[in-house]
Amino acid sequence: MSRIYLASTNPGKLRELQEAAQHLAVELELLPGLKSIPPPAEDGQTFEENACIKAEYYSRFVPGERVLAEDSGLSLESLHGAPGVYSARYAAMLKDGKASNTNSSDAENNAALIAQLERLPEEKHAGKYICVIALAQDGKTLGTFQGKVAGELRTIPRGSGGFGYDPLFYFPGLGKTFAELPVEEKRRHSHRGDAFRKFFEWYRAGAHLPARD
Ligand code: IMP
């Protein structure tokens, strides 16, 4: 299978996507020079829109090559879908009362989520992670793939693995938070692993992909 460039600077996502690619023998390399490219504005209303914005934008820097990007986050029905597409900037958004362009730290976001959870009864702590992977070439999206996983959000963090909201994301199937899982076990259950498997099935079939330079 041919090479794909990965466009993400989030170390947690990179670790998980690279592990998933290795597991399925997909050649996934970090996009050359990624850190020196100014990021695009993630101003989509959905995970899918933001994944496409990133994949299309970065693919223009490597003509003829395929670029994979993803957008993901946490969503609680009892918080009307929040943090949603603002998962990375949730603390800043709650503080400023409007959408922020600056990401908050994981610790700040977790503290902001705990404060919201503490106002809700425990039976309203259900939430899900969503991940959309987009593959693009020459500024055009070739395909998008969505993965999901349901869990419960806790107010007391547990575990030191994963990233983001993982210490609060309790997965009843295993009786552990995602931060208590090694990377390969998180892949088997996570939204990102789910999206990557769907991407892989499609990519392996391959017939519908345009020719490369
Ligand atoms: P993005 O970089 O705009 O896609 O923001 C993703 C944000 O969603 C991350 O910064 C985390 O806050 C959250 N998130 C997405 N996936 C995960 C996960 O697997 N574990 C924990 N937090 C996640």
Side-chain angles (χ1 to χ4, degrees), residues 96-166:
D96 302 346
K98 60 179 168 61
S100 161
N101 291 324
T102 317
N103 287 356
S104 306
S105 69
D106 287 347
E108 289 166 334
N109 286 328
N110 283 347
L113 180 64
I114 289 169
Q116 297 300 308
L117 291 169
E118 281 172 345
R119 295 154 60 164
L120 295 168
E122 260 185 37
E123 65 274 16
K124 296 216 162 151
H125 285 197
K128 61 184 177 231
Y129 274 140
I130 299 161
C131 170
V132 176
I133 285 178
L135 188 75
Q137 184 176 333
D138 296 319
K140 289 192 198 77
T141 294
L142 306 176
T144 60
F145 311 88
Q146 190 184 88
K148 278 186 199 165
V149 59
E152 292 161 24
L153 281 307
R154 295 277 162 98
T155 50
I156 299 173
R158 254 170 53 183
S160 56
F163 69 100
Y165 299 98
D166 281 347

Side-chain angles (χ1 to χ4, degrees), residues 10 13 16 42 54 70-74 85 87-88 106 109 129 163-166 186 191-192:
N10 178 315
K13 291 184 182 184
E16 292 179 19
E42 294 183 32
K54 290 186 262 192
E70 71 99 278
D71 200 65
S72 51
L74 177 70
V85 290
S87 290
D106 287 347
N109 286 328
Y129 274 140
F163 69 100
Y165 299 98
D166 281 347
K186 183 175 169 190
H191 51 319
R192 192 163 292 103

Side-chain angles (χ1 to χ4, degrees), residues 5-9 14 29-31 34 54 58 67-70:
Y5 283 125
L6 173 58
S8 175
T9 53
L14 283 179
E29 277 177 34
L30 198 59
L31 183 80
L34 178 63
K54 290 186 262 192
Y58 287 110
V67 172
L68 184 149
E70 71 99 278

Side-chain angles (χ1 to χ4, degrees), residues 4 18 33 47-48 51 55 58 65 67 78 95 102 105 117 119 121 124 142-143 160 187 198 212:
I4 298 170
Q18 280 168 334
F47 295 112
E48 180 164 2
Y58 287 110
E65 300 284 348
V67 172
S78 48
K95 191 162 151 259
T102 317
S105 69
L117 291 169
R119 295 154 60 164
K124 296 216 162 151
L142 306 176
S160 56
R187 184 229 315 137
K198 289 174 182 161
R212 305 210 300 179

Side-chain angles (χ1 to χ4, degrees), residues 147-200:
K148 278 186 199 165
V149 59
E152 292 161 24
L153 281 307
R154 295 277 162 98
T155 50
I156 299 173
R158 254 170 53 183
S160 56
F163 69 100
Y165 299 98
D166 281 347
L168 305 178
F169 189 87
Y170 177 81
F171 184 59
L174 295 175
K176 290 181 177 171
T177 68
F178 267 11
E180 293 178 295
L181 304 182
V183 66
E184 64 281 1
E185 199 171 6
K186 183 175 169 190
R187 184 229 315 137
R188 277 186 226 117
H189 302 284
S190 77
H191 51 319
R192 192 163 292 103
D194 187 21
F196 199 89
R197 276 188 296 279
K198 289 174 182 161
F199 155 72
F200 176 74

Side-chain angles (χ1 to χ4, degrees), residues 6-54:
L6 173 58
S8 175
T9 53
N10 178 315
K13 291 184 182 184
L14 283 179
R15 190 170 52 244
E16 292 179 19
L17 290 168
Q18 280 168 334
E19 191 273 337
Q22 204 175 3
H23 174 69
L24 293 169
V26 177
E27 211 187 314
L28 193 62
E29 277 177 34
L30 198 59
L31 183 80
L34 178 63
K35 282 202 175 134
S36 55
I37 303 175
E42 294 183 32
D43 51 9
Q45 298 300 302
T46 63
F47 295 112
E48 180 164 2
E49 279 174 28
N50 280 337
C52 293
I53 287 171
K54 290 186 262 192

